Amino acid sequence: MTTHWVITLEYGEGEGHRLEALTRFTASREEARRRLYTYACEHKHRDGLRQRTRHVFRQDDHAYYVQIRGALSGHHLRYRLAELVWSTDKALLPDPRPEEPRDAVPGDPWRPPAQ
């Protein structure tokens, strides 16, 4: 089964914290995880970055923490994989009401977002 995914990149601190969507695609869960791993290992997040070392740590099946040491500076990044679970675009999700997540709060019934 294929699903819609997005790979995001988080970096910076405080006021300079950024969250960017790097790519959107449709794939199986296994293929999406492979793409996330490839981004964590190979993505160049800044032009002109002269990478000397790169350490990739898996935080869970959907996130990697990356430490990069460049010629002049160090960078700490987080690459995440996110699955599309709800959308108003019926072409993306024919049924706009997904199954309730297994980790949902018990007794908290699903309600559509406010219009």
Side-chain angles (χ1 to χ4, degrees):
M1 180 170 134
T2 60
T3 304
H4 295 276
W5 302 92
V6 62
I7 293 177
T8 61
L9 171 63
E10 297 175 50
Y11 60 96
E13 296 179 22
E15 297 282 324
H17 182 260
R18 299 207 183 272
L19 173 65
E20 298 176 15
L22 298 177
T23 185
R24 296 173 189 272
F25 58 96
T26 302
S28 68
R29 183 173 303 277
E30 292 75 26
E31 174 61 25
R33 287 180 181 165
R34 280 193 294 274
R35 285 193 193 187
L36 174 64
Y37 178 72
T38 299
Y39 267 81
C41 292
E42 300 176 0
H43 179 254
K44 188 173 182 179
H45 84 284
R46 264 175 68 174
D47 290 333
L49 176 63
R50 294 186 314 216
Q51 175 178 294
R52 290 193 176 171
T53 62
R54 184 180 197 114
H55 302 289
V56 177
F57 300 89
R58 182 175 55 216
Q59 292 185 301
D60 58 42
D61 286 342
H62 294 95
Y64 288 93
Y65 168 66
V66 178
Q67 296 174 333
I68 298 174
R69 174 63 54 199
L72 302 173
S73 61
H75 303 271
H76 302 270
L77 315 167
R78 182 170 295 121
Y79 290 86
R80 291 184 187 259
L81 180 63
E83 177 182 6
L84 179 65
V85 296
W86 194 89
S87 176
T88 58
D89 186 344
K90 292 186 188 244
L92 295 178
L93 292 174
D95 179 3
R97 181 181 171 184
E99 289 184 34
E100 184 174 286
R102 286 183 220 116
D103 58 351
V105 177
D108 185 21
W110 182 89
R111 287 181 212 87
Q115 294 289 331

